Amino acid sequence: MDAHDLLEFAWLIPAFPAAGAVALLLFGKRLGEPVAGWLATALMALSFVASAVAFFALLSLGEEERRVVTDGYTWLRAGDFVVDFRFLVDPLSVTMILFVTGVGTLIHLYSIGYMHGDPRFSRFFAYLNLFAASMLVLVLGSNFLLTFLGWEGVGLCSYLLISFWFERGSAAVAGKKAFVTNRVGDFGFMLAMFLIFWKLGSLDYAAMEGAGRLAQTTVTAIALLLFLGAVGKSAQIPLHIWLPDAMEGPTPVSALIHAATMVTAGVFLVARAHPFFEASDSAGTVVAWVGAATALSAATVAVVQNDIKRVLAYSTVSQLGYMFLAAGVGAYSAALFHMVTHAFFKALLFLGAGSVIHGLHDEQDMRRMGALRRWMPITAGTFIFGWLAIAGIVPFAGFWSKDEILAQAWYRDEYALWAVGAVAALLTAFYMTRQVYLVFFGDERWREPAASAASAAHTDGAPVLHEQPPAASGAHAHADGHEGTPAEPHESPWTMTVPLGALTVLTIFGGLVNLPFVEQNLEFLGEWLHPVFEDVEVVHAPSFATGFALSTIALVVGVTGILLGRAFYKAGLPAAGDDPVERRLGPVARVLENAYYFDVGVARFVSGPATAFARFLSDGFDRDGIGLAAAFRRGGIGLRRLQTGLVRNYALGIVLGAVALVGYVLVRTI
């Protein structure tokens, strides 16, 4: 069996988790815990094995042959509109499926321990499998519509998983918020598909070869509409508001959504549809600046967050902004490189945060943590590696990918974008250092009564924090986690620590897949992706000195952020809830805590002017104005009277129609 024959079995990659989802939805209760979890994990592992086989099969082909469209069937046919259900196996899709299935398998394994005791244990794993299957269809689809099928699938699963603990009102609202916000972006995606079919006559990715022949207005409209879809899915300004609230779901969901699957879909879409962005004179600039603005603003918000998962949520928004910054300047390989490394260290950080929450009996407020390295050494050690990676410290994976993005911005003369990215990198190192010191170093604040941290007064005129951590809920909620002195922290079970160890290895060595040493041929990922982006200009460092200087600056920025964070938080918190940075920021802290009041503004607009305008259209304009709805209702009632249900009436209608037709023909022929 040659490589092409092996690649024809690419359908097995999404089929394994899809089969798991079906089996668990039908028989999950009968299988119970932990069998349901092990079945879902095993099927994800099989999907990873199939992805690895696809990688080696594609690698064995020549570079010009690394684009295989598998056999399939015609899915939709309506005149000239034909859509095939086929998979595209190329370096881009294989890169995606490798880290989606690899990291996804580790998250599934982790979930077996984390969700222990949950009454809906099997349903949770059914949703995880369905989520993974949808993401795999998204990245393997050979056309925009098949990608959109997976796109909507991950949207549905995100709703099911974010609101999994729907007994909590905040979780139910967060799920609906994610679902509705993503529909705004999906509207842009659909309009883009309408334009693509209208102008190119096909939704297949192969049709994008004609993007250069389109008028500037048309190709820019297509690119920006596709980007609107990406903005919704990848939580960029202004559609970023759903992602921090997604923390209401179980921590494995946060890791799966924020690290390896849903939020990376937008970056994938821009990379896949890059011919439209390359053909446009202005779309790339919009993408780059939206990404830069998102990276900087989300980083400033993360500086003052106190929920351990919420810090990581805003960090994800910021890191996604980095990826779009790179894609906007045309450095698609750098964007994908950071996507891969981010999947490693962000999954590690989220799962580490989940381990902390598990060990502290569902406590999420970092003001009620401290000195946990003594009680949770494995979690602390692995989390610290993730911290160093995201802070951009050599030789960890995050250093190489973040440095590549900043360097590419500089090489392409986008100095303002480089400066914004550098400031965001400094803030990233700072707020992650703050998180590490508040959680694992300093004094043991978890021994204090819960009320003291939540209600402690601030000094020097600083605001009193009003945001409270989510209430204890789910599989392992404990009453003593929030009232009085909690039980002592404990390390997580092996099903949770083994994935942490595996992700730590990837976080340390993941950067080796694309080192910036061109002459030594160490840019493996860039060369691997070259067939996909062969029409994109490749820009390298003009000299070794320039590249070395930029890398040194990037390292200095990361180290500076860490030193600043250590200076502020080495001694922990002077008093429960008394944060030194918040005290110095003064009123600005409240603005940052509330994420610039953007979320609040949107909520007030929707509940105020938007609702009032909708009522005007419904009552004042439709009912009392043109009365369109009432007219359709009256028309429906009138037409209903024609449907008597008597056969003789229908027969009479047929006869009269035939007589009228014959009469018409006779009149036309005379």
Side-chain angles (χ1 to χ4, degrees):
M1 183 179 292
D2 63 13
H4 287 89
D5 292 333
L6 282 174
L7 293 174
E8 287 296 332
F9 289 95
W11 60 270
L12 286 172
I13 298 170
F16 282 127
V22 172
L24 291 176
L25 287 173
L26 293 176
F27 311 110
K29 286 188 177 180
R30 187 176 303 175
L31 292 174
E33 181 188 349
V35 176
W38 284 111
L39 175 63
T41 305
L43 288 170
M44 274 303 299
L46 287 174
S47 184
F48 173 70
V49 171
S51 300
V53 171
F55 166 71
F56 287 111
L58 200 66
L59 187 64
S60 67
L61 299 175
E63 185 175 300
E64 67 284 351
E65 298 181 272
R66 291 176 184 171
R67 188 184 188 281
V68 177
V69 179
T70 65
D71 292 334
Y73 62 90
T74 299
W75 179 22
L76 296 173
R77 182 186 297 275
D80 295 334
F81 180 66
V82 179
V83 179
D84 294 329
F85 200 105
R86 305 176 194 277
F87 291 138
L88 170 60
V89 185
D90 70 347
L92 176 57
S93 61
V94 169
T95 300
M96 295 295 296
I97 62 177
L98 278 174
F99 79 79
V100 167
T101 57
V103 176
T105 300
L106 295 174
I107 293 173
H108 275 66
L109 176 61
Y110 177 95
S111 301
I112 295 174
Y114 190 87
M115 297 302 293
H116 170 64
D118 193 285
R120 295 190 295 273
F121 183 88
S122 59
R123 184 182 300 179
F124 178 80
F125 281 93
Y127 292 164
L128 282 188
N129 268 187
L130 185 60
F131 196 114
S134 299
M135 185 67 188
L136 293 169
V137 170
L138 188 158
V139 299
L140 284 169
S142 64
N143 56 70
F144 282 101
L145 193 58
L146 190 52
T147 290
F148 190 70
L149 176 66
W151 189 274
E152 291 301 289
V154 296
L156 169 64
C157 293
S158 68
Y159 166 74
L160 295 173
L161 288 167
I162 293 170
S163 58
F164 185 76
W165 288 329
F166 57 84
E167 298 87 351
R168 296 190 306 190
S170 56
V173 170
K176 288 185 286 186
K177 186 176 182 180
F179 191 81
V180 172
T181 305
N182 274 272
R183 298 294 74 74
V184 178
D186 295 350
F187 179 67
F189 196 161
M190 289 190 292
L191 290 180
M193 287 193 290
F194 298 156
L195 268 177
I196 292 169
F197 179 73
W198 179 27
K199 294 298 183 180
L200 298 179
S202 174
L203 292 178
D204 284 346
Y205 288 130
M208 291 191 295
E209 296 175 358
R213 300 191 299 269
L214 299 177
Q216 270 298 306
T217 303
T218 302
V219 75
T220 300
I222 291 173
L224 292 181
L225 287 169
L226 288 172
F227 181 54
L228 177 58
V231 164
K233 199 67 73 182
S234 294
Q236 299 294 284
I237 292 175
L239 300 180
H240 63 290
I241 56 177
W242 67 270
L243 194 143
D245 288 352
M247 298 298 95
E248 291 292 338
T251 297
V253 173
S254 304
L256 194 64
I257 290 177
H258 291 210
T261 54
M262 181 173 170
V263 294
T264 62
V267 182
F268 165 80
L269 180 64
V270 172
R272 176 62 81 193
H274 74 273
F276 294 118
F277 293 89
E278 290 297 304
S280 171
D281 293 335
S282 56
T285 302
V286 174
V287 173
W289 276 106
V290 169
T294 304
L296 181 59
S297 61
T300 59
V301 173
V303 166
V304 295
Q305 298 302 309
N306 294 305
D307 186 302
I308 186 172
K309 288 171 63 177
R310 205 168 182 85
V311 173
L312 297 177
Y314 280 107
S315 172
T316 297
V317 175
S318 181
Q319 296 303 306
L320 288 166
Y322 266 104
M323 299 175 206
F324 281 109
L325 189 160
V329 300
Y332 300 102
S333 294
L336 293 169
F337 181 30
H338 195 55
M339 181 194 298
V340 173
T341 61
H342 177 262
F344 298 153
F345 60 71
K346 186 52 64 68
L348 173 59
L349 291 170
F350 264 114
L351 297 186
S355 182
V356 169
I357 295 168
H358 181 275
L360 273 180
H361 314 288
D362 294 297
E363 180 61 71
Q364 293 185 209
D365 192 338
M366 295 189 300
R367 294 168 296 180
R368 294 211 10 94
M369 297 182 184
L372 291 180
R373 69 189 187 283
R374 172 189 171 190
W375 304 90
M376 308 177 69
I378 298 176
T379 298
T382 55
F383 197 97
I384 286 171
F385 280 114
W387 159 51
L388 295 174
I390 195 173
I393 302 302
V394 69
F396 302 101
F399 167 79
W400 302 107
S401 57
K402 190 178 294 186
D403 172 65
E404 181 66 14
I405 290 174
L406 294 175
Q408 286 294 322
W410 184 276
Y411 299 155
R412 297 165 193 266
D413 301 328
E414 298 288 353
Y415 304 121
L417 288 171
W418 177 88
V420 173
V423 173
L426 175 68
L427 291 173
T428 300
F430 177 82
Y431 68 69
M432 287 305 303
T433 303
R434 171 180 182 264
Q435 183 175 55
V436 167
Y437 272 89
L438 287 181
V439 175
F440 297 107
F441 295 90
D443 52 331
E444 297 178 343
R445 295 179 304 280
W446 48 268
R447 294 185 182 276
E448 303 168 8
S452 63
S455 60
H458 288 253
T459 59
D460 300 334
V464 177
L465 293 181
H466 60 275
E467 179 179 312
Q468 299 299 324
S473 179
H476 35 271
H478 297 278
D480 61 353
H482 291 273
E483 295 182 2
T485 302
E488 291 184 346
H490 60 84
E491 189 60 270
S492 298
W494 73 268
T495 52
M496 296 173 65
T497 55
V498 166
L500 293 178
L503 288 168
T504 299
V505 173
L506 293 172
T507 295
I508 296 172
F509 299 106
L512 298 178
V513 302
N514 202 58
L515 295 177
F517 303 116
V518 181
E519 295 181 0
Q520 291 77 17
N521 296 318
L522 295 180
E523 287 191 314
F524 301 114
L525 184 63
E527 289 300 318
W528 167 251
L529 293 170
H530 180 260
V532 180
F533 305 114
E534 59 184 354
D535 56 331
V536 180
E537 180 185 5
V538 179
V539 179
H540 295 296
S543 65
F544 174 80
T546 301
F548 183 79
L550 289 173
S551 296
T552 302
I553 293 172
L555 179 60
V556 169
V557 166
V559 171
T560 301
I562 290 176
L563 292 177
L564 286 173
R566 184 176 183 274
F568 276 105
Y569 294 99
K570 179 181 179 181
L573 295 179
D578 184 16
D579 190 294
V581 170
E582 292 177 10
R583 188 172 62 250
R584 285 166 174 77
L585 288 175
V588 177
R590 183 175 292 277
V591 176
L592 297 180
E593 289 163 15
N594 289 277
Y596 299 100
Y597 294 99
F598 188 87
D599 203 342
V600 175
V602 171
R604 290 181 178 175
F605 173 77
V606 171
S607 61
T611 301
F613 183 66
R615 286 174 179 166
F616 165 73
L617 292 178
S618 174
D619 300 336
F621 186 70
D622 185 26
R623 187 184 64 188
D624 301 329
I626 64 174
L628 189 61
F632 274 103
R633 182 174 180 272
R634 290 192 297 270
I637 293 173
L639 290 174
R640 187 174 64 186
R641 293 171 182 168
L642 298 177
Q643 304 299 323
T644 63
L646 300 175
V647 177
R648 61 177 179 270
N649 288 350
Y650 298 149
L652 178 61
I654 294 173
V655 171
L656 292 176
V659 170
L661 182 61
V662 171
Y664 173 77
V665 173
L666 290 175
V667 170
R668 294 286 295 177
T669 56
I670 294 176

